[in-house]
């Protein structure tokens, strides 16, 4: 079985009603990134940050996977598929993909402000001030904020190194270190990039670029790969 690796970003969930932020003038649901996705934002106003992610969690819990998420799940019939997503929603899982790594964390988990390894599945529940981990420290969303280390990066690099096929979908490739993952893919791998605003300059020239929305572009590519 060939190894197929997917790197997805906010664009794959846009057609499920979850906004990206680069398409919204650098704002995430009308908030400045510094206010809601950095340690400084948290230190300045934890109530605002908790409320922001409580809203995102509620919104994501109501969202449904679109044709792109569903098409990727079908790939498991033929390939050993690893999905590496920058997204904090769970639409890949809802669509049926079984191996999904969330580089930037997950909305439906909370973590201790004392120890990042103390995480808790909270599903659709809110996190409030006063909600504590088992060691008595405030809980925060289990999201990797800008300026924080990405604990999963070394592990997922190994998947990119052994990829026979790479599909990049709906990401501006502007958030490091996620954007550097594609540099670890072998030159013999078949590489595809699906994004209506794909920036060709950020890619090796052997990428096949599909300037389409994720739902259409992914379904078309998956149908071809499953037939080949
Ligand atoms: P980004 O906002 O930087 O870029 C979004 C990309 O998606 C753009 O290149 C845009 O052209 C493309 N796009 C927009 N609509 C599309 C569609 N229908 N089909 C295909 N592509 C489409 O997103 P990023 O590169 O993922 O980086 C942003 C960070 O924001 C991530 O780390 C993520 O954690 C966070 N974020 C997550 C979500 C989510 O979980 N759904 C939503 C917003 C932001």
């Amino acid at each position: 079985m060939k190894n197929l690796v997917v790197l997805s970003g906010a664009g794959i969930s846009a057609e499920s009603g979850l906004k990206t932020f680069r398409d919204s003038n650098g704002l995430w649901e009308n908030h400045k990134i510094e206010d809601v996705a950095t340690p400084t934002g948290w230190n300045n106003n934890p109530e605002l940050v908790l409320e922001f992610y409580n809203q995102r969690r509620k919104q994501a819990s109501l969202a449904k996977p679109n044709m792109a998420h569903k098409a990727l799940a079908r790939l498991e019939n033929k390939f050993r598929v690893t999905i590496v997503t920058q997204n904090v929603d769970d639409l890949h899982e809802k669509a049926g993909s079984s191996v999904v790594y969330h580089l930037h964390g997950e909305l439906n988990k909370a973590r201790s402000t004392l120890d990042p390894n103390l995480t808790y599945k909270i599903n659709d529940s809110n996190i409030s001030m006063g909600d504590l981990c088992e060691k008595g420290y405030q809980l925060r969303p289990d999201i990797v904020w800008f300026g924080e280390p990405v604990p999963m990066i070394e592990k997922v690099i190994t998947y990119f190194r052994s990829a026979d096929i790479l599909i990049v979908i709906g990401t501006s490739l502007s958030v490091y270190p996620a954007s550097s993952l594609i540099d670890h893919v072998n030159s013999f791998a078949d590489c595809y990039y699906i994004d209506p605003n794909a920036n060709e300059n950020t890619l090796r020239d052997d990428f096949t670029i599909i300037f389409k929305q994720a739902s259409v572009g992914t379904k078309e590519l998956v149908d071809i790969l499953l037939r080949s």
Side-chain angles (χ1 to χ4, degrees):
M1 247 189 187
K2 285 188 174 175
N3 293 324
L4 188 151
V5 175
V6 174
L7 175 63
S8 68
I12 195 172
S13 297
E15 292 164 84
S16 295
L18 305 179
K19 286 191 186 145
T20 69
F21 55 67
R22 296 232 158 40
D23 294 317
S24 325
N25 301 321
L27 298 179
W28 192 358
E29 296 283 352
N30 298 323
H31 288 273
K32 283 201 247 166
I33 304 306
E34 309 86 75
D35 293 343
V36 294
T38 62
T40 311
W42 169 255
N43 290 331
N44 288 343
N45 194 344
E47 290 86 356
L48 172 83
V49 174
L50 289 181
E51 182 50 25
F52 174 79
Y53 289 99
N54 287 342
Q55 291 299 327
R56 302 285 71 71
R57 192 176 304 110
K58 197 185 217 172
Q59 195 182 31
S61 76
L62 298 172
K64 295 198 168 51
N66 63 52
M67 280 204 303
H69 301 100
K70 290 180 189 167
L72 293 177
R74 284 195 285 127
L75 284 170
E76 293 185 16
N77 293 328
K78 181 164 175 189
F79 301 99
R80 195 178 296 112
V81 180
T82 306
I83 304 224
V84 177
T85 186
Q86 297 166 83
N87 294 347
V88 293
D89 65 55
D90 61 352
L91 294 178
H92 285 298
E93 289 91 340
K94 279 186 187 162
S97 286
S98 39
V99 182
V100 184
Y101 291 96
H102 288 268
L103 275 183
H104 297 157
E106 295 172 74
L107 284 170
N108 56 23
K109 287 188 185 164
R111 79 152 104 136
S112 164
T113 46
L114 173 72
D115 177 356
N117 296 314
L118 281 181
T119 61
Y120 304 89
K121 192 99 193 231
I122 55 168
N123 299 320
D124 304 347
S125 307
N126 286 341
I127 309 176
S128 305
M129 291 306 287
D131 289 346
L132 307 178
C133 73
E134 66 214 54
K135 294 191 176 168
Y137 286 78
Q138 176 65 42
L139 289 178
R140 55 165 268 187
D142 188 22
I143 303 289
V144 176
W145 289 324
F146 288 96
E148 294 187 318
V150 179
M152 223 172 261
I153 199 80
E154 290 303 325
K155 182 177 173 70
V156 303
I157 282 174
T158 59
Y159 293 110
F160 284 77
R161 287 204 178 116
S162 59
D164 300 299
I165 302 173
L166 170 71
I167 310 178
V168 180
I169 310 173
T171 169
S172 58
L173 289 174
S174 55
V175 179
Y176 183 84
S179 56
S180 67
L181 285 168
I182 60 175
D183 300 335
H184 296 277
V185 174
N186 272 305
S187 53
F188 62 72
D190 294 328
C191 299
Y192 303 90
Y193 182 27
I194 304 167
D195 192 309
N197 309 305
N199 178 355
E200 293 162 82
N201 300 328
T202 56
L203 296 173
R204 264 183 3 209
D205 54 12
D206 56 343
F207 269 72
T208 301
I209 304 182
I210 301 167
F211 289 95
K212 291 188 178 173
Q213 301 239 313
S215 59
V216 176
T218 310
K219 184 181 177 304
E220 285 176 6
L221 177 60
V222 166
D223 287 344
I224 291 168
L225 292 172
L226 289 177
R227 274 200 306 267
S228 62

